[in-house]
Amino acid sequence: MSIGLMETLEKYVGRRDGGTRSCPYPVNEAMIHHWCDAIGDRNASYLDPEFAGTSIHGGIVAPPTMLQAWTMPGLRPVVPTPPVDAPEKSVLQVLDEAGFTSVVATNCEQEYFRYLKPGDRVTHDVEIESVSDEKATGLGVGHFVTQLYNYRDADGELVAQMRFRLLKFRPVAARDTASDDRPVVGPRIRGGRPRPSLNQDVSFFWEGAARGELLVQRCSECRSLRHPPGPGCPNCSSLEWEAVAMSGSGEIYSFVKHHHPQIPPFEPGHPVVLVELDEGPRLVSELASEDATRTDLAIGMRVEVQFDEVEDEFVMPRFRIVTPREKGTE
Ligand code: ZN
């Protein structure tokens, strides 16, 4: 690491980074409605003017967690990015130029000082709270940057703050010598495949797989099947459930071929399938090795589970494609 870079980065700490971003539109009921629809929040203080009028707010308020929505520039920003009054390079640009071109967000905390109401115009500015020394991480070598976003109303009063921490890192260029000679750019997963994180909700699934059983949760109250596993029934809210074995037959409901970002040990073009089991539940899964390179994958193909030890003592249910039985063969 060059000493010069850290000195440059430290100059940013405690200072504003970039200019002030204004909101393209004032806080408004239409956007609040869309957001509540998307999130599934039916809070009457956000949606029902009559109720909200009788509440302590005296009218509609915006969900506090919409904070970022008000100053986001949008997919095709009409406001210039970075803002025209930005005095110099941003700290992220400095890191880009030093080769730390990849970014991953690591933490986000928001604090709200008052509810926003329709008509409020929000601006934000960003202060660099800290920049770490160079750190070696699983993704690569990089610097953690903590940005403090200050959100203000039209009177300049602070209405909320957000601390956003990200890692700017140098992408690892490595060679996947195990399978081919193509350079692999991006994070490498040490020790092979990512393993499922086991807890009391999901352990049964993997324990079943190790025994050669494809288990799905069934609600003890309403008997509905559900997957992926979770503590409560989305249908009746019961917390009682049992694990039941599926036949393992189903069809490809949908699939994607994953190319980018490359994530070893998975090959580029690795198919990820959503299988609809004959019993109803859908599972995200993989295809058996011999089917993974097929070029004729199609929605509706019949599949059957098999249990593969994909790595030492790690058994994964995967699906192989089966040709439908032709009429009259039985
Ligand atoms: Zn239920």
Side-chain angles (χ1 to χ4, degrees):
M1 173 184 59
S2 71
I3 304 282
L5 174 63
M6 203 56 223
E7 271 173 11
T8 308
L9 294 175
E10 272 164 5
K11 284 188 197 151
Y12 284 84
V13 175
R15 285 172 50 190
R16 274 178 62 170
D17 194 25
T20 301
R21 262 191 219 289
S22 59
C23 54
Y25 299 97
V27 174
N28 64 85
E29 290 186 40
M31 185 104 103
I32 294 171
H33 267 261
H34 290 315
W35 192 91
C36 287
D37 274 352
I39 299 291
D41 189 336
R42 307 307 303 163
N43 188 326
S45 296
Y46 308 147
L47 299 169
D48 179 350
E50 203 176 317
F51 171 86
T54 65
S55 75
I56 54 166
H57 305 301
I60 292 284
V61 291
T65 46
M66 277 189 79
L67 183 60
Q68 277 184 285
W70 304 118
T71 55
M72 280 278 177
L75 284 177
R76 292 170 190 82
V78 283
V79 287
T81 307
V84 282
D85 59 341
E88 54 189 284
K89 282 179 200 166
S90 75
V91 72
L92 301 184
Q93 285 170 316
V94 171
L95 284 164
D96 276 337
E97 287 171 12
F100 301 97
T101 50
S102 294
V103 65
V104 61
T106 61
N107 304 71
C108 180
E109 295 158 26
Q110 294 185 341
E111 192 176 355
Y112 316 111
F113 305 120
R114 77 160 169 89
Y115 279 90
L116 293 172
K117 299 185 171 190
D120 271 326
R121 280 202 170 263
V122 188
T123 60
H124 82 232
D125 56 69
V126 183
E127 213 175 286
I128 300 300
E129 202 171 54
S130 65
V131 183
S132 78
D133 293 339
E134 193 175 287
K135 305 278 186 199
T137 76
L139 294 173
V141 171
H143 294 265
F144 288 93
V145 178
T146 306
Q147 301 171 314
L148 179 65
Y149 286 65
N150 296 302
Y151 291 85
R152 298 176 199 280
D153 63 17
D155 300 325
E157 289 294 320
L158 202 59
V159 294
Q161 282 183 317
M162 175 170 78
R163 254 182 203 85
F164 197 79
R165 185 167 302 123
L166 41 86
L167 172 67
K168 283 288 284 174
F169 62 100
R170 184 174 284 142
V172 177
R175 280 185 179 275
D176 188 1
T177 49
S179 54
D180 66 35
D181 288 322
R182 278 171 293 185
V184 176
V185 177
R188 289 188 71 83
I189 291 156
R190 291 180 204 290
R193 282 176 166 265
R195 299 291 178 101
S197 53
L198 298 179
N199 58 40
Q200 60 182 6
D201 293 329
V202 305
S203 293
F204 77 93
F205 180 86
W206 297 102
E207 288 161 11
R211 296 192 303 269
E213 284 185 311
L214 184 63
L215 299 180
V216 161
Q217 282 179 308
R218 182 172 63 197
C219 173
S220 305
E221 289 292 323
C222 72
R223 317 288 289 169
S224 58
L225 297 169
R226 65 174 187 265
H227 188 87
C233 175
N235 186 40
C236 76
S237 305
S238 167
L239 299 176
E240 302 300 320
W241 57 272
E242 57 254 344
V244 292
M246 301 288 103
S247 66
S249 293
E251 63 178 46
I252 297 180
Y253 183 82
S254 185
F255 70 97
V256 293
K257 289 187 174 179
H258 179 96
H259 288 273
H260 191 81
Q262 291 180 27
I263 305 175
F266 303 105
E267 295 291 329
H270 166 79
V272 179
V273 291
L274 181 61
V275 169
E276 186 169 89
L277 297 172
D278 289 345
E279 292 89 345
R282 293 178 193 153
L283 278 82
V284 174
S285 188
E286 281 185 22
L287 293 177
S289 318
E290 61 272 24
D291 289 328
T293 51
R294 280 176 70 143
T295 53
D296 63 343
L297 290 186
I299 287 170
M301 279 180 155
R302 294 291 302 167
V303 290
E304 246 173 47
V305 78
Q306 65 183 41
F307 296 89
D308 294 341
E309 187 173 342
V310 291
E311 264 176 11
D312 292 346
E313 293 175 14
F314 177 39
V315 176
M316 232 189 96
R318 297 204 283 200
F319 289 84
R320 63 174 172 270
I321 293 168
V322 290
T323 320
R325 264 194 204 96
E326 283 172 32
K327 272 184 188 166
T329 55
E330 224 171 353

